[in-house]
Amino acid sequence: MRQQLVQLLYKVSTSSALDDGYIELAEQLIVNAIIDGLNTARASIWLLNNDNSQCHCQLLLDKNNAESVQSLILTRANFPAYFRALDTQRVIIANNAHTDPATAEFSEHYLTPLGINSMLDAPLRFKGKMIGIFCCEHTGDFRQWEDDECTFLSGLADLYGRALSAQESRLVKQELEAANRYLEERVVERTNTLQKTLETLTGTQEKLIESEKMAALGNLVAGVAHEVNTPIGVAVTANSSATDNLKQLKQQLETNTLSKNSLMTFLTHIDECLTISSSNLDRAAALICSFKQTAVDQSSLDISSVMLKEYLANTIHSLTPLTRSHHISTEIDCDETLSVVTVSGALSQIIMNLVSNSCVHGFKERTNNQINITVQVDKQQGSYSLCYRDNGHGMSTTVLQSVFEPFFTTTRGKGGSGLGMAIVYNLATQALQGDVKIHSQPQQGITIIFTFPLNLS
C-alpha cells in the first residue's frame, strides 16, 4: 500500500473522534480521508435498513459542493441489480460504472447528470452483519481502481466499525447512568416514603403501647379498688364495734356501774378490734404499695437498676385481685441477690400482659391454675433468661404462628384487642433489646422464654 494511504489510515485510527462515541464526527473524518486518499470527487456512507430492502445516504461529501447530502434513498425494488451485487460481492469495483452490471442501472438518472464514470463500493460490517457501504464516485476519465485503494477503503470500513462500537458503548453508558439516576431517585423517594411510614408506625405503636398501658392500669385500679375495699371494710367494721363499746364504757363510768368483769370484757373486745383493724390495714397498705410501685414503673420507660426477684414479686402482688379471681397460684424462682439494669416499666408491663393473657385465654373455666416464672443467668453472655409458664389451655399451631401479630386475637368481639402479645413482643425486642421464643401445645399450657441483657445501659 502506498505510504500516503498508510499515513492516512494511521491518522484516522489514532484520532479521538473514533472512540469518543459520537459517530457523526467519525463519519466526517472517514469520508474526508476517502476523498483525500483516493482523490475522488465524491465519497459517501450508506446504511441498510433492517430487512435490506433499501439503503439511505448517511453522509455524502462532494469536493465541488461544500454542502453535505443526507437525503438520498435507494430501494431494492428500483435497483435490483445493485442490491444483488451487494448481497453476493465482497467489493463492487466498477471501473466503468455505466456498463458494469452492478451499477449500470444508475447511468441515465444518476451517473450521467453528475459526470460520474467510475465507482468503488466497500461493505460496512458490524458484529458480523453487513450494515452498509462506503461509496467512492470518480468524475472525469474512467478509472482503474488499484488493489491498495481497495485495501485502504476496507481498512477505513473496519475503523468505522470501531466508531460504531464506541457509539454503542456511549449510549449504553448513558442509559446506565440514566437508569442509575432513576434508581437513585426511586431509592430516595422510597426511603422518604419508608421513613414517613416508619415514623407513622412508630407513633402508632407508641399510642398503642400507651393505650395498652392505660387499659392495663385501668383494670388494675378497678381490681385493686375492689380488693382494697374488703380489708378496709373489715377495719371500718372493727373500728365501729370498738367505738360502740367505748360509748357503753363511758355510760357505765358516768353511772358508777362499771364492774371489773365489764372492764375486762371491754379490753378484750378492743384488743380484738385493734388486731383485726391493724392486720387488714396492713394488708391494704401492702397492696397499695405494690400498686404504686407498678404504676410508677408503668408510666416510665427509663433505665434503672432493680432487684429482679423483688420487682417481679411486687408486680405479681399488684395483680392479686386478678390472680385470686382466677384461682391462680404463682411461683418465682430467681436468685434474690440478682440485680439487673433494665427498663423496669417495660418488664412490668410484659408480666402484667402475660398474666392477663393467661387469665383471659389460658385459665378460662379452669381451676388449680399455676404460673411459674424462672430466671437463669448466663454470665458469659452477659444475659439472663426469664421463662414464663402457665398450665392453661395452651395454643394450636395456627394460633402460635400468629400470636405476636398486631390485632390477632381469638376473642374478637369478646373484648380482645389483639394488641397484648404484640406489645409484649415489641417491648421485649425493642425497649429491652432482647429475644422471645414461645412454645405451646393444646392443653399443655404455654412457655415463653425471654433473653435479656443484664445491663441495658
Side-chain angles (χ1 to χ4, degrees), residues 296-321:
V296 169
D297 288 336
Q298 281 286 298
S299 65
S300 173
L301 290 180
D302 293 335
I303 296 176
S304 61
S305 176
V306 296
M307 300 301 293
L308 188 57
K309 184 171 184 179
E310 179 184 358
Y311 187 77
L312 293 174
N314 285 337
T315 301
I316 293 296
H317 187 63
S318 70
L319 298 170
T320 298

mmCIF file with all atom_site columns, all heavy atoms in Angstrom, residues 296-321:
data_model
loop_
_atom_site.group_PDB
_atom_site.id
_atom_site.type_symbol
_atom_site.label_atom_id
_atom_site.label_alt_id
_atom_site.label_comp_id
_atom_site.label_asym_id
_atom_site.label_entity_id
_atom_site.label_seq_id
_atom_site.pdbx_PDB_ins_code
_atom_site.Cartn_x
_atom_site.Cartn_y
_atom_site.Cartn_z
_atom_site.occupancy
_atom_site.B_iso_or_equiv
_atom_site.pdbx_formal_charge
_atom_site.auth_seq_id
_atom_site.auth_comp_id
_atom_site.auth_asym_id
_atom_site.auth_atom_id
_atom_site.pdbx_PDB_model_num
ATOM 1   N N   . VAL A 1 296 ? -45.923 3.520   88.930 1.00 0.00 ? 296 VAL A N   1
ATOM 2   C CA  . VAL A 1 296 ? -44.801 4.424   88.626 1.00 0.00 ? 296 VAL A CA  1
ATOM 3   C C   . VAL A 1 296 ? -43.952 3.842   87.513 1.00 0.00 ? 296 VAL A C   1
ATOM 4   O O   . VAL A 1 296 ? -43.577 4.512   86.549 1.00 0.00 ? 296 VAL A O   1
ATOM 5   C CB  . VAL A 1 296 ? -43.952 4.675   89.885 1.00 0.00 ? 296 VAL A CB  1
ATOM 6   C CG1 . VAL A 1 296 ? -42.657 5.392   89.512 1.00 0.00 ? 296 VAL A CG1 1
ATOM 7   C CG2 . VAL A 1 296 ? -44.737 5.503   90.890 1.00 0.00 ? 296 VAL A CG2 1
ATOM 8   N N   . ASP A 1 297 ? -43.657 2.517   87.592 1.00 0.00 ? 297 ASP A N   1
ATOM 9   C CA  . ASP A 1 297 ? -42.824 1.887   86.571 1.00 0.00 ? 297 ASP A CA  1
ATOM 10  C C   . ASP A 1 297 ? -43.531 1.839   85.227 1.00 0.00 ? 297 ASP A C   1
ATOM 11  O O   . ASP A 1 297 ? -42.916 1.973   84.179 1.00 0.00 ? 297 ASP A O   1
ATOM 12  C CB  . ASP A 1 297 ? -42.445 0.462   87.014 1.00 0.00 ? 297 ASP A CB  1
ATOM 13  C CG  . ASP A 1 297 ? -41.427 0.481   88.159 1.00 0.00 ? 297 ASP A CG  1
ATOM 14  O OD1 . ASP A 1 297 ? -40.720 1.490   88.282 1.00 0.00 ? 297 ASP A OD1 1
ATOM 15  O OD2 . ASP A 1 297 ? -41.382 -0.498  88.918 1.00 0.00 ? 297 ASP A OD2 1
ATOM 16  N N   . GLN A 1 298 ? -44.841 1.641   85.245 1.00 0.00 ? 298 GLN A N   1
ATOM 17  C CA  . GLN A 1 298 ? -45.596 1.565   84.005 1.00 0.00 ? 298 GLN A CA  1
ATOM 18  C C   . GLN A 1 298 ? -45.589 2.885   83.254 1.00 0.00 ? 298 GLN A C   1
ATOM 19  O O   . GLN A 1 298 ? -45.698 2.919   82.039 1.00 0.00 ? 298 GLN A O   1
ATOM 20  C CB  . GLN A 1 298 ? -47.047 1.171   84.307 1.00 0.00 ? 298 GLN A CB  1
ATOM 21  C CG  . GLN A 1 298 ? -47.233 -0.311  84.568 1.00 0.00 ? 298 GLN A CG  1
ATOM 22  C CD  . GLN A 1 298 ? -47.135 -1.104  83.283 1.00 0.00 ? 298 GLN A CD  1
ATOM 23  O OE1 . GLN A 1 298 ? -47.937 -0.918  82.379 1.00 0.00 ? 298 GLN A OE1 1
ATOM 24  N NE2 . GLN A 1 298 ? -46.161 -1.975  83.203 1.00 0.00 ? 298 GLN A NE2 1
ATOM 25  N N   . SER A 1 299 ? -45.469 3.972   83.969 1.00 0.00 ? 299 SER A N   1
ATOM 26  C CA  . SER A 1 299 ? -45.534 5.291   83.324 1.00 0.00 ? 299 SER A CA  1
ATOM 27  C C   . SER A 1 299 ? -44.185 5.748   82.805 1.00 0.00 ? 299 SER A C   1
ATOM 28  O O   . SER A 1 299 ? -44.068 6.814   82.248 1.00 0.00 ? 299 SER A O   1
ATOM 29  C CB  . SER A 1 299 ? -46.073 6.331   84.322 1.00 0.00 ? 299 SER A CB  1
ATOM 30  O OG  . SER A 1 299 ? -45.148 6.497   85.401 1.00 0.00 ? 299 SER A OG  1
ATOM 31  N N   . SER A 1 300 ? -43.156 4.918   82.976 1.00 0.00 ? 300 SER A N   1
ATOM 32  C CA  . SER A 1 300 ? -41.817 5.344   82.576 1.00 0.00 ? 300 SER A CA  1
ATOM 33  C C   . SER A 1 300 ? -41.115 4.232   81.818 1.00 0.00 ? 300 SER A C   1
ATOM 34  O O   . SER A 1 300 ? -41.266 3.058   82.140 1.00 0.00 ? 300 SER A O   1
ATOM 35  C CB  . SER A 1 300 ? -40.995 5.720   83.814 1.00 0.00 ? 300 SER A CB  1
ATOM 36  O OG  . SER A 1 300 ? -39.650 5.971   83.463 1.00 0.00 ? 300 SER A OG  1
ATOM 37  N N   . LEU A 1 301 ? -40.357 4.623   80.814 1.00 0.00 ? 301 LEU A N   1
ATOM 38  C CA  . LEU A 1 301 ? -39.519 3.670   80.098 1.00 0.00 ? 301 LEU A CA  1
ATOM 39  C C   . LEU A 1 301 ? -38.047 3.998   80.304 1.00 0.00 ? 301 LEU A C   1
ATOM 40  O O   . LEU A 1 301 ? -37.204 3.758   79.453 1.00 0.00 ? 301 LEU A O   1
ATOM 41  C CB  . LEU A 1 301 ? -39.868 3.681   78.604 1.00 0.00 ? 301 LEU A CB  1
ATOM 42  C CG  . LEU A 1 301 ? -41.224 3.093   78.226 1.00 0.00 ? 301 LEU A CG  1
ATOM 43  C CD1 . LEU A 1 301 ? -41.439 3.174   76.720 1.00 0.00 ? 301 LEU A CD1 1
ATOM 44  C CD2 . LEU A 1 301 ? -41.368 1.662   78.688 1.00 0.00 ? 301 LEU A CD2 1
ATOM 45  N N   . ASP A 1 302 ? -37.736 4.580   81.499 1.00 0.00 ? 302 ASP A N   1
ATOM 46  C CA  . ASP A 1 302 ? -36.357 4.919   81.831 1.00 0.00 ? 302 ASP A CA  1
ATOM 47  C C   . ASP A 1 302 ? -35.615 3.676   82.306 1.00 0.00 ? 302 ASP A C   1
ATOM 48  O O   . ASP A 1 302 ? -36.197 2.746   82.873 1.00 0.00 ? 302 ASP A O   1
ATOM 49  C CB  . ASP A 1 302 ? -36.313 5.996   82.919 1.00 0.00 ? 302 ASP A CB  1
ATOM 50  C CG  . ASP A 1 302 ? -36.868 7.327   82.414 1.00 0.00 ? 302 ASP A CG  1
ATOM 51  O OD1 . ASP A 1 302 ? -36.819 7.545   81.187 1.00 0.00 ? 302 ASP A OD1 1
ATOM 52  O OD2 . ASP A 1 302 ? -37.361 8.105   83.244 1.00 0.00 ? 302 ASP A OD2 1
ATOM 53  N N   . ILE A 1 303 ? -34.304 3.685   82.100 1.00 0.00 ? 303 ILE A N   1
ATOM 54  C CA  . ILE A 1 303 ? -33.462 2.579   82.554 1.00 0.00 ? 303 ILE A CA  1
ATOM 55  C C   . ILE A 1 303 ? -33.141 2.768   84.026 1.00 0.00 ? 303 ILE A C   1
ATOM 56  O O   . ILE A 1 303 ? -32.789 3.860   84.467 1.00 0.00 ? 303 ILE A O   1
ATOM 57  C CB  . ILE A 1 303 ? -32.168 2.513   81.719 1.00 0.00 ? 303 ILE A CB  1
ATOM 58  C CG1 . ILE A 1 303 ? -32.504 2.190   80.258 1.00 0.00 ? 303 ILE A CG1 1
ATOM 59  C CG2 . ILE A 1 303 ? -31.211 1.479   82.285 1.00 0.00 ? 303 ILE A CG2 1
ATOM 60  C CD1 . ILE A 1 303 ? -31.306 2.192   79.343 1.00 0.00 ? 303 ILE A CD1 1
ATOM 61  N N   . SER A 1 304 ? -33.268 1.693   84.797 1.00 0.00 ? 304 SER A N   1
ATOM 62  C CA  . SER A 1 304 ? -32.974 1.753   86.227 1.00 0.00 ? 304 SER A CA  1
ATOM 63  C C   . SER A 1 304 ? -32.473 0.401   86.695 1.00 0.00 ? 304 SER A C   1
ATOM 64  O O   . SER A 1 304 ? -32.618 -0.616  86.005 1.00 0.00 ? 304 SER A O   1
ATOM 65  C CB  . SER A 1 304 ? -34.222 2.166   87.024 1.00 0.00 ? 304 SER A CB  1
ATOM 66  O OG  . SER A 1 304 ? -35.257 1.212   86.828 1.00 0.00 ? 304 SER A OG  1
ATOM 67  N N   . SER A 1 305 ? -31.870 0.395   87.873 1.00 0.00 ? 305 SER A N   1
ATOM 68  C CA  . SER A 1 305 ? -31.369 -0.844  88.467 1.00 0.00 ? 305 SER A CA  1
ATOM 69  C C   . SER A 1 305 ? -32.415 -1.387  89.431 1.00 0.00 ? 305 SER A C   1
ATOM 70  O O   . SER A 1 305 ? -32.930 -0.656  90.276 1.00 0.00 ? 305 SER A O   1
ATOM 71  C CB  . SER A 1 305 ? -30.054 -0.581  89.201 1.00 0.00 ? 305 SER A CB  1
ATOM 72  O OG  . SER A 1 305 ? -29.600 -1.751  89.850 1.00 0.00 ? 305 SER A OG  1
ATOM 73  N N   . VAL A 1 306 ? -32.750 -2.671  89.290 1.00 0.00 ? 306 VAL A N   1
ATOM 74  C CA  . VAL A 1 306 ? -33.760 -3.274  90.160 1.00 0.00 ? 306 VAL A CA  1
ATOM 75  C C   . VAL A 1 306 ? -33.273 -4.625  90.650 1.00 0.00 ? 306 VAL A C   1
ATOM 76  O O   . VAL A 1 306 ? -32.505 -5.321  89.964 1.00 0.00 ? 306 VAL A O   1
ATOM 77  C CB  . VAL A 1 306 ? -35.109 -3.445  89.427 1.00 0.00 ? 306 VAL A CB  1
ATOM 78  C CG1 . VAL A 1 306 ? -35.705 -2.110  89.045 1.00 0.00 ? 306 VAL A CG1 1
ATOM 79  C CG2 . VAL A 1 306 ? -34.960 -4.330  88.200 1.00 0.00 ? 306 VAL A CG2 1
ATOM 80  N N   . MET A 1 307 ? -33.718 -4.986  91.866 1.00 0.00 ? 307 MET A N   1
ATOM 81  C CA  . MET A 1 307 ? -33.532 -6.344  92.363 1.00 0.00 ? 307 MET A CA  1
ATOM 82  C C   . MET A 1 307 ? -34.637 -7.172  91.716 1.00 0.00 ? 307 MET A C   1
ATOM 83  O O   . MET A 1 307 ? -35.821 -6.984  91.995 1.00 0.00 ? 307 MET A O   1
ATOM 84  C CB  . MET A 1 307 ? -33.630 -6.385  93.883 1.00 0.00 ? 307 MET A CB  1
ATOM 85  C CG  . MET A 1 307 ? -32.599 -5.511  94.580 1.00 0.00 ? 307 MET A CG  1
ATOM 86  S SD  . MET A 1 307 ? -30.872 -5.987  94.169 1.00 0.00 ? 307 MET A SD  1
ATOM 87  C CE  . MET A 1 307 ? -30.794 -7.596  94.962 1.00 0.00 ? 307 MET A CE  1
ATOM 88  N N   . LEU A 1 308 ? -34.246 -8.066  90.824 1.00 0.00 ? 308 LEU A N   1
ATOM 89  C CA  . LEU A 1 308 ? -35.205 -8.670  89.910 1.00 0.00 ? 308 LEU A CA  1
ATOM 90  C C   . LEU A 1 308 ? -36.292 -9.468  90.620 1.00 0.00 ? 308 LEU A C   1
ATOM 91  O O   . LEU A 1 308 ? -37.475 -9.309  90.319 1.00 0.00 ? 308 LEU A O   1
ATOM 92  C CB  . LEU A 1 308 ? -34.475 -9.552  88.887 1.00 0.00 ? 308 LEU A CB  1
ATOM 93  C CG  . LEU A 1 308 ? -35.352 -10.085 87.744 1.00 0.00 ? 308 LEU A CG  1
ATOM 94  C CD1 . LEU A 1 308 ? -36.006 -8.941  86.996 1.00 0.00 ? 308 LEU A CD1 1
ATOM 95  C CD2 . LEU A 1 308 ? -34.516 -10.934 86.793 1.00 0.00 ? 308 LEU A CD2 1
ATOM 96  N N   . LYS A 1 309 ? -35.921 -10.336 91.568 1.00 0.00 ? 309 LYS A N   1
ATOM 97  C CA  . LYS A 1 309 ? -36.942 -11.170 92.207 1.00 0.00 ? 309 LYS A CA  1
ATOM 98  C C   . LYS A 1 309 ? -37.938 -10.314 92.979 1.00 0.00 ? 309 LYS A C   1
ATOM 99  O O   . LYS A 1 309 ? -39.153 -10.539 92.904 1.00 0.00 ? 309 LYS A O   1
ATOM 100 C CB  . LYS A 1 309 ? -36.295 -12.190 93.140 1.00 0.00 ? 309 LYS A CB  1
ATOM 101 C CG  . LYS A 1 309 ? -37.329 -13.136 93.759 1.00 0.00 ? 309 LYS A CG  1
ATOM 102 C CD  . LYS A 1 309 ? -36.704 -14.275 94.508 1.00 0.00 ? 309 LYS A CD  1
ATOM 103 C CE  . LYS A 1 309 ? -37.782 -15.242 95.016 1.00 0.00 ? 309 LYS A CE  1
ATOM 104 N NZ  . LYS A 1 309 ? -37.207 -16.397 95.735 1.00 0.00 ? 309 LYS A NZ  1
ATOM 105 N N   . GLU A 1 310 ? -37.440 -9.344  93.730 1.00 0.00 ? 310 GLU A N   1
ATOM 106 C CA  . GLU A 1 310 ? -38.322 -8.465  94.493 1.00 0.00 ? 310 GLU A CA  1
ATOM 107 C C   . GLU A 1 310 ? -39.246 -7.697  93.553 1.00 0.00 ? 310 GLU A C   1
ATOM 108 O O   . GLU A 1 310 ? -40.443 -7.542  93.837 1.00 0.00 ? 310 GLU A O   1
ATOM 109 C CB  . GLU A 1 310 ? -37.490 -7.498  95.332 1.00 0.00 ? 310 GLU A CB  1
ATOM 110 C CG  . GLU A 1 310 ? -38.320 -6.516  96.142 1.00 0.00 ? 310 GLU A CG  1
ATOM 111 C CD  . GLU A 1 310 ? -37.462 -5.506  96.896 1.00 0.00 ? 310 GLU A CD  1
ATOM 112 O OE1 . GLU A 1 310 ? -36.218 -5.607  96.808 1.00 0.00 ? 310 GLU A OE1 1
ATOM 113 O OE2 . GLU A 1 310 ? -38.032 -4.623  97.551 1.00 0.00 ? 310 GLU A OE2 1
ATOM 114 N N   . TYR A 1 311 ? -38.696 -7.241  92.428 1.00 0.00 ? 311 TYR A N   1
ATOM 115 C CA  . TYR A 1 311 ? -39.505 -6.471  91.482 1.00 0.00 ? 311 TYR A CA  1
ATOM 116 C C   . TYR A 1 311 ? -40.593 -7.331  90.857 1.00 0.00 ? 311 TYR A C   1
ATOM 117 O O   . TYR A 1 311 ? -41.747 -6.913  90.734 1.00 0.00 ? 311 TYR A O   1
ATOM 118 C CB  . TYR A 1 311 ? -38.610 -5.883  90.393 1.00 0.00 ? 311 TYR A CB  1
ATOM 119 C CG  . TYR A 1 311 ? -39.333 -4.930  89.477 1.00 0.00 ? 311 TYR A CG  1
ATOM 120 C CD1 . TYR A 1 311 ? -39.634 -3.639  89.885 1.00 0.00 ? 311 TYR A CD1 1
ATOM 121 C CD2 . TYR A 1 311 ? -39.751 -5.339  88.209 1.00 0.00 ? 311 TYR A CD2 1
ATOM 122 C CE1 . TYR A 1 311 ? -40.313 -2.765  89.058 1.00 0.00 ? 311 TYR A CE1 1
ATOM 123 C CE2 . TYR A 1 311 ? -40.429 -4.473  87.376 1.00 0.00 ? 311 TYR A CE2 1
ATOM 124 C CZ  . TYR A 1 311 ? -40.714 -3.183  87.804 1.00 0.00 ? 311 TYR A CZ  1
ATOM 125 O OH  . TYR A 1 311 ? -41.403 -2.335  86.987 1.00 0.00 ? 311 TYR A OH  1
ATOM 126 N N   . LEU A 1 312 ? -40.223 -8.570  90.468 1.00 0.00 ? 312 LEU A N   1
ATOM 127 C CA  . LEU A 1 312 ? -41.217 -9.475  89.902 1.00 0.00 ? 312 LEU A CA  1
ATOM 128 C C   . LEU A 1 312 ? -42.296 -9.814  90.924 1.00 0.00 ? 312 LEU A C   1
ATOM 129 O O   . LEU A 1 312 ? -43.490 -9.876  90.594 1.00 0.00 ? 312 LEU A O   1
ATOM 130 C CB  . LEU A 1 312 ? -40.539 -10.757 89.409 1.00 0.00 ? 312 LEU A CB  1
ATOM 131 C CG  . LEU A 1 312 ? -39.593 -10.611 88.202 1.00 0.00 ? 312 LEU A CG  1
ATOM 132 C CD1 . LEU A 1 312 ? -38.871 -11.932 87.925 1.00 0.00 ? 312 LEU A CD1 1
ATOM 133 C CD2 . LEU A 1 312 ? -40.358 -10.166 86.956 1.00 0.00 ? 312 LEU A CD2 1
ATOM 134 N N   . ALA A 1 313 ? -41.876 -10.007 92.177 1.00 0.00 ? 313 ALA A N   1
ATOM 135 C CA  . ALA A 1 313 ? -42.837 -10.328 93.231 1.00 0.00 ? 313 ALA A CA  1
ATOM 136 C C   . ALA A 1 313 ? -43.820 -9.177  93.443 1.00 0.00 ? 313 ALA A C   1
ATOM 137 O O   . ALA A 1 313 ? -45.024 -9.391  93.616 1.00 0.00 ? 313 ALA A O   1
ATOM 138 C CB  . ALA A 1 313 ? -42.100 -10.656 94.532 1.00 0.00 ? 313 ALA A CB  1
ATOM 139 N N   . ASN A 1 314 ? -43.309 -7.939  93.436 1.00 0.00 ? 314 ASN A N   1
ATOM 140 C CA  . ASN A 1 314 ? -44.186 -6.774  93.601 1.00 0.00 ? 314 ASN A CA  1
ATOM 141 C C   . ASN A 1 314 ? -45.178 -6.661  92.437 1.00 0.00 ? 314 ASN A C   1
ATOM 142 O O   . ASN A 1 314 ? -46.348 -6.317  92.635 1.00 0.00 ? 314 ASN A O   1
ATOM 143 C CB  . ASN A 1 314 ? -43.363 -5.501  93.707 1.00 0.00 ? 314 ASN A CB  1
ATOM 144 C CG  . ASN A 1 314 ? -42.685 -5.363  95.048 1.00 0.00 ? 314 ASN A CG  1
ATOM 145 O OD1 . ASN A 1 314 ? -43.123 -5.949  96.044 1.00 0.00 ? 314 ASN A OD1 1
ATOM 146 N ND2 . ASN A 1 314 ? -41.596 -4.605  95.098 1.00 0.00 ? 314 ASN A ND2 1
ATOM 147 N N   . THR A 1 315 ? -44.676 -6.933  91.226 1.00 0.00 ? 315 THR A N   1
ATOM 148 C CA  . THR A 1 315 ? -45.563 -6.865  90.058 1.00 0.00 ? 315 THR A CA  1
ATOM 149 C C   . THR A 1 315 ? -46.673 -7.910  90.163 1.00 0.00 ? 315 THR A C   1
ATOM 150 O O   . THR A 1 315 ? -47.849 -7.606  89.930 1.00 0.00 ? 315 THR A O   1
ATOM 151 C CB  . THR A 1 315 ? -44.755 -7.082  88.768 1.00 0.00 ? 315 THR A CB  1
ATOM 152 O OG1 . THR A 1 315 ? -43.738 -6.084  88.670 1.00 0.00 ? 315 THR A OG1 1
ATOM 153 C CG2 . THR A 1 315 ? -45.653 -6.998  87.540 1.00 0.00 ? 315 THR A CG2 1
ATOM 154 N N   . ILE A 1 316 ? -46.291 -9.153  90.522 1.00 0.00 ? 316 ILE A N   1
ATOM 155 C CA  . ILE A 1 316 ? -47.295 -10.216 90.680 1.00 0.00 ? 316 ILE A CA  1
ATOM 156 C C   . ILE A 1 316 ? -48.256 -9.880  91.811 1.00 0.00 ? 316 ILE A C   1
ATOM 157 O O   . ILE A 1 316 ? -49.472 -10.087 91.712 1.00 0.00 ? 316 ILE A O   1
ATOM 158 C CB  . ILE A 1 316 ? -46.608 -11.566 90.935 1.00 0.00 ? 316 ILE A CB  1
ATOM 159 C CG1 . ILE A 1 316 ? -45.821 -12.009 89.695 1.00 0.00 ? 316 ILE A CG1 1
ATOM 160 C CG2 . ILE A 1 316 ? -47.630 -12.627 91.320 1.00 0.00 ? 316 ILE A CG2 1
ATOM 161 C CD1 . ILE A 1 316 ? -46.674 -12.287 88.482 1.00 0.00 ? 316 ILE A CD1 1
ATOM 162 N N   . HIS A 1 317 ? -47.721 -9.324  92.917 1.00 0.00 ? 317 HIS A N   1
ATOM 163 C CA  . HIS A 1 317 ? -48.565 -8.985  94.060 1.00 0.00 ? 317 HIS A CA  1
ATOM 164 C C   . HIS A 1 317 ? -49.595 -7.923  93.690 1.00 0.00 ? 317 HIS A C   1
ATOM 165 O O   . HIS A 1 317 ? -50.737 -7.940  94.169 1.00 0.00 ? 317 HIS A O   1
ATOM 166 C CB  . HIS A 1 317 ? -47.706 -8.494  95.231 1.00 0.00 ? 317 HIS A CB  1
ATOM 167 C CG  . HIS A 1 317 ? -48.497 -8.284  96.491 1.00 0.00 ? 317 HIS A CG  1
ATOM 168 N ND1 . HIS A 1 317 ? -49.142 -9.307  97.147 1.00 0.00 ? 317 HIS A ND1 1
ATOM 169 C CD2 . HIS A 1 317 ? -48.747 -7.157  97.210 1.00 0.00 ? 317 HIS A CD2 1
ATOM 170 C CE1 . HIS A 1 317 ? -49.758 -8.834  98.215 1.00 0.00 ? 317 HIS A CE1 1
ATOM 171 N NE2 . HIS A 1 317 ? -49.528 -7.520  98.280 1.00 0.00 ? 317 HIS A NE2 1
ATOM 172 N N   . SER A 1 318 ? -49.195 -6.993  92.814 1.00 0.00 ? 318 SER A N   1
ATOM 173 C CA  . SER A 1 318 ? -50.136 -5.948  92.399 1.00 0.00 ? 318 SER A CA  1
ATOM 174 C C   . SER A 1 318 ? -51.292 -6.520  91.578 1.00 0.00 ? 318 SER A C   1
ATOM 175 O O   . SER A 1 318 ? -52.320 -5.882  91.417 1.00 0.00 ? 318 SER A O   1
ATOM 176 C CB  . SER A 1 318 ? -49.406 -4.881  91.576 1.00 0.00 ? 318 SER A CB  1
ATOM 177 O OG  . SER A 1 318 ? -49.023 -5.390  90.317 1.00 0.00 ? 318 SER A OG  1
ATOM 178 N N   . LEU A 1 319 ? -51.102 -7.757  91.075 1.00 0.00 ? 319 LEU A N   1
ATOM 179 C CA  . LEU A 1 319 ? -52.138 -8.414  90.292 1.00 0.00 ? 319 LEU A CA  1
ATOM 180 C C   . LEU A 1 319 ? -52.970 -9.378  91.125 1.00 0.00 ? 319 LEU A C   1
ATOM 181 O O   . LEU A 1 319 ? -53.704 -10.214 90.576 1.00 0.00 ? 319 LEU A O   1
ATOM 182 C CB  . LEU A 1 319 ? -51.500 -9.173  89.110 1.00 0.00 ? 319 LEU A CB  1
ATOM 183 C CG  . LEU A 1 319 ? -50.736 -8.307  88.094 1.00 0.00 ? 319 LEU A CG  1
ATOM 184 C CD1 . LEU A 1 319 ? -49.948 -9.194  87.135 1.00 0.00 ? 319 LEU A CD1 1
ATOM 185 C CD2 . LEU A 1 319 ? -51.689 -7.426  87.317 1.00 0.00 ? 319 LEU A CD2 1
ATOM 186 N N   . THR A 1 320 ? -52.852 -9.271  92.436 1.00 0.00 ? 320 THR A N   1
ATOM 187 C CA  . THR A 1 320 ? -53.564 -10.189 93.322 1.00 0.00 ? 320 THR A CA  1
ATOM 188 C C   . THR A 1 320 ? -55.059 -10.269 93.040 1.00 0.00 ? 320 THR A C   1
ATOM 189 O O   . THR A 1 320 ? -55.637 -11.368 93.023 1.00 0.00 ? 320 THR A O   1
ATOM 190 C CB  . THR A 1 320 ? -53.323 -9.799  94.793 1.00 0.00 ? 320 THR A CB  1
ATOM 191 O OG1 . THR A 1 320 ? -51.924 -9.904  95.068 1.00 0.00 ? 320 THR A OG1 1
ATOM 192 C CG2 . THR A 1 320 ? -54.096 -10.709 95.737 1.00 0.00 ? 320 THR A CG2 1
ATOM 193 N N   . PRO A 1 321 ? -55.760 -9.145  92.829 1.00 0.00 ? 321 PRO A N   1
ATOM 194 C CA  . PRO A 1 321 ? -57.192 -9.263  92.523 1.00 0.00 ? 321 PRO A CA  1
ATOM 195 C C   . PRO A 1 321 ? -57.468 -10.148 91.311 1.00 0.00 ? 321 PRO A C   1
ATOM 196 O O   . PRO A 1 321 ? -58.431 -10.912 91.303 1.00 0.00 ? 321 PRO A O   1
ATOM 197 C CB  . PRO A 1 321 ? -57.605 -7.810  92.260 1.00 0.00 ? 321 PRO A CB  1
ATOM 198 C CG  . PRO A 1 321 ? -56.608 -6.987  92.974 1.00 0.00 ? 321 PRO A CG  1
ATOM 199 C CD  . PRO A 1 321 ? -55.320 -7.743  92.896 1.00 0.00 ? 321 PRO A CD  1
#
